[in-house]
Amino acid sequence: MKTIKEPARDIPVRAEADVLVVGGGPAGIMAAEAAAGDGLHVMLVESRGFLGGNLTIGLPILGFLGRKGNQIIEGSAQRFIDRLRARGAASEHRPCKNHMSLTIIDEEEVKRTALEIMEEKGVEVLLYTFFADAIREGDAVKGVVVESKAGREAILAKTVIDCTGDGDVAFRAGVECRKGDVEGGMQPPTLMFCMKGVDVQRLRDAIVGHPDVYDMDVMPPEQFRTGKFITVGLRTQIRQAQAAGYRIPVARTILITGLADDEIWVNMSRVSGVDSTRPESYTYGEIEGRKQIYEIARYLREFVPGFADARIEKVAPFMGIRESRVIVGRYVLTAEDIIACRRFGDAIAVAGYPVDIHHAKGGDCTMHFCDDSYDIPYRCLLPERVAGLLVAGRCSSMNHEAMASTRVMSTCMALGEAAGRAARLALKAGVQPADLDVEALRAELRATGAYLG
């Protein structure tokens, strides 16, 4: 690649924080909220013009409940849902055979509620601000460089929490990171879209009354009689459409009821080979995903009951990325840990979502379930050999298969809360996050409502 030499320059220090959270998605919101308190100056930097990340793209939150139907994600994540429910902007946690549980949320109220919490907690929020580089001295992260319309600036911090989803801070700080399976293949992203004017009752009746025709993967027809639901199946309809010349990129029809009675969110676009850490690849994904949704909507109107008069109401503001970088931390969680329902002495979260791998090639998916739930150890948030940095959310230390379970938003919220509380307690104790007494962290998590088994 051709290069130019950029002259050295002094850049202004915009701020000095005690805790800096980079990325305002599900993990970042929880991390900033949990870090606030004890007089600490907490900052949250986000590249978009709103907070919420994947909470704002029409996805339901999966996995608040475990395989046995008990609630395993509580604490700050549940309090966030409680606030939404008080406004009629979230459903109950509906048990779901495939996805453990389904919680429908209003994406616009998420943005409002997240900003309200930041204001209440005294967190300084910077929107439209891009992370550009990590500031490292020796083996410790001391802050970040950001870019905005104000130019290039530095934010110094005693502790940085990487909640970018892509491990951007960790990668720039020299932490070992990995992407994808043994061949580098990553789970493909989806551009969600919403259709209104759907006759949801007709769709229910078809699934319940004719399971031999409208086949649901591993999901009993009774699940669709009442309440919110998600369909995974209708493979026969897709095969019929493909035989008729429709270009459908997936093997299954995935539909999610919205909060409104005639609203369905569609999780069916798929662009293989997208790498969200490369702008040209991410751009291709957005363009191709937008092309796909119109063909998918045409398929739904023609082949799926209840969609004949439906219209596209809105498209998510960005693609939902299932997989990109993950760090190599002090412990790397594996699918074997998940399937074995493994317990850890330093557990800071409990999860139960299956290992749900959307294949890097082709349009299908494989799911593997544990019998109950599993622990996520604190060490998964700690990079090896780099101090002053915690990593929470989808980019924490998991291998390719394990991340297919931990990537769901409920788990990311729990990991974010743990990282935020760890950052605050470590500063209070005058130690690095890696040297924090994990029992003190676990005690605070329990005291503030988190479930640790």
Side-chain angles (χ1 to χ4, degrees):
M1 180 182 291
K2 185 177 181 180
T3 64
I4 63 168
K5 184 175 291 293
E6 186 177 20
R9 53 177 169 164
D10 294 328
I11 61 173
V13 176
R14 166 177 276 275
E16 297 186 42
D18 293 303
V19 180
L20 171 65
V21 180
V22 183
I29 295 167
M30 298 295 111
E33 178 185 4
D38 296 333
L40 297 183
H41 178 202
V42 178
M43 292 185 68
L44 174 60
V45 170
E46 167 57 44
S47 62
R48 298 184 174 96
F50 53 87
L51 300 181
N54 279 359
L55 289 165
T56 70
I57 64 173
L59 288 166
I61 305 179
L62 307 176
F64 264 96
L65 305 183
R67 190 77 186 271
K68 296 184 176 180
N70 59 312
Q71 186 162 343
I72 58 174
I73 303 290
E74 296 183 350
S76 295
Q78 180 57 48
R79 288 189 287 274
F80 192 88
I81 298 300
D82 291 341
R83 290 179 71 135
L84 292 177
R85 290 199 70 184
R87 289 175 165 158
S91 71
E92 75 285 357
H93 304 314
R94 175 88 190 277
C96 177
K97 185 174 179 64
N98 259 9
H99 307 94
M100 303 304 96
S101 66
L102 182 72
T103 310
I104 308 298
I105 54 174
D106 182 291
E107 69 279 6
E108 293 302 326
E109 286 296 341
V110 163
K111 300 172 187 177
R112 174 189 179 190
T113 300
L115 286 170
E116 285 179 348
I117 292 172
M118 296 303 103
E119 187 173 21
E120 292 165 7
K121 294 294 185 179
V123 175
E124 181 181 352
V125 176
L126 272 182
L127 303 175
Y128 303 110
T129 303
F130 289 82
F131 165 80
D133 206 352
I135 300 170
R136 180 170 165 172
E137 295 179 8
D139 65 352
V141 173
K142 296 295 185 179
V144 303
V145 176
V146 296
E147 290 269 8
S148 70
K149 299 225 181 221
R152 193 169 176 89
E153 299 173 306
I155 300 175
L156 304 181
K158 297 173 183 174
T159 304
V160 177
I161 307 177
D162 183 344
C163 295
T164 61
D166 296 317
D168 292 334
V169 181
F171 178 72
R172 292 287 185 177
V175 176
E176 182 183 354
C177 295
R178 296 173 182 168
K179 286 191 292 190
D181 57 21
V182 292
E183 297 178 347
M186 291 180 283
Q187 296 190 66
T190 290
L191 182 61
M192 297 286 293
F193 67 98
C194 173
M195 297 192 76
K196 293 292 286 290
V198 181
D199 186 342
V200 175
Q201 189 58 50
R202 186 177 175 200
L203 177 61
R204 286 184 197 278
D205 293 343
I207 293 169
V208 174
H210 303 281
D212 54 326
V213 177
Y214 304 104
D215 51 315
M216 292 294 109
D217 288 14
V218 205
M219 301 173 81
E222 292 72 24
Q223 188 165 309
F224 304 98
R225 289 188 187 277
T226 60
K228 302 301 179 185
F229 64 84
I230 179 170
T231 74
V232 180
L234 285 83
R235 292 173 181 264
T236 302
Q237 282 62 45
I238 287 184
R239 286 193 292 269
Q240 291 172 350
Q242 290 171 335
Y246 286 68
R247 299 181 305 280
I248 309 299
V250 289
R252 310 171 305 160
T253 304
I254 305 179
L255 309 172
I256 304 142
T257 49
L259 290 171
D261 291 340
D262 67 338
E263 179 179 277
I264 291 284
W265 281 89
V266 183
N267 183 350
M268 291 179 63
S269 68
R270 174 177 301 220
V271 189
S272 297
V274 170
D275 182 345
S276 61
T277 68
R278 295 169 50 228
E280 70 279 11
S281 180
Y282 205 169
T283 300
Y284 163 74
E286 290 281 351
I287 294 170
E288 180 61 25
R290 193 165 289 270
K291 290 177 182 177
Q292 289 179 4
I293 65 174
Y294 294 97
E295 183 78 342
I296 292 165
R298 192 167 73 96
Y299 150 72
L300 292 171
R301 293 189 195 100
E302 183 68 24
F303 289 90
V304 179
F307 280 86
D309 298 319
R311 66 188 183 280
I312 294 178
E313 175 75 4
K314 51 191 168 184
V315 179
F318 57 91
M319 295 192 89
I321 300 298
R322 290 186 174 90
E323 181 174 14
S324 61
R325 292 192 199 102
V326 293
I327 68 162
V328 177
R330 300 194 173 204
Y331 186 83
V332 178
L333 194 75
T334 68
E336 289 74 21
D337 292 330
I338 292 172
I339 301 304
C341 302
R342 188 168 177 194
R343 304 301 171 193
F344 294 91
D346 62 337
I348 43 76
V350 175
Y353 190 74
V355 176
D356 178 10
I357 301 178
H358 292 245
H359 299 169
K361 299 175 183 177
D364 216 334
C365 174
T366 302
M367 302 183 86
H368 303 281
F369 297 81
C370 66
D371 291 332
D372 187 3
S373 60
Y374 62 91
D375 290 349
I376 301 177
Y378 179 52
R379 287 164 290 162
C380 288
L381 310 184
L382 298 170
E384 286 192 301
R385 296 183 296 278
V386 176
L389 178 65
L390 289 151
V391 181
R394 191 182 72 228
C395 48
S396 299
S397 182
M398 327 286 178
N399 71 5
H400 167 70
E401 293 80 13
M403 197 277 305
S405 171
T406 61
R407 64 183 171 82
V408 294
M409 292 185 285
S410 61
T411 305
C412 290
M413 294 169 86
L415 295 179
E417 179 181 5
R421 295 195 185 283
R424 182 169 48 76
L425 290 175
L427 287 173
K428 189 176 180 181
V431 299
Q432 285 292 327
D435 299 321
L436 177 65
D437 178 1
V438 74
E439 283 305 318
L441 172 58
R442 284 162 51 82
E444 169 151 327
L445 285 166
R446 286 196 187 96
T448 51
Y451 178 81
L452 296 181

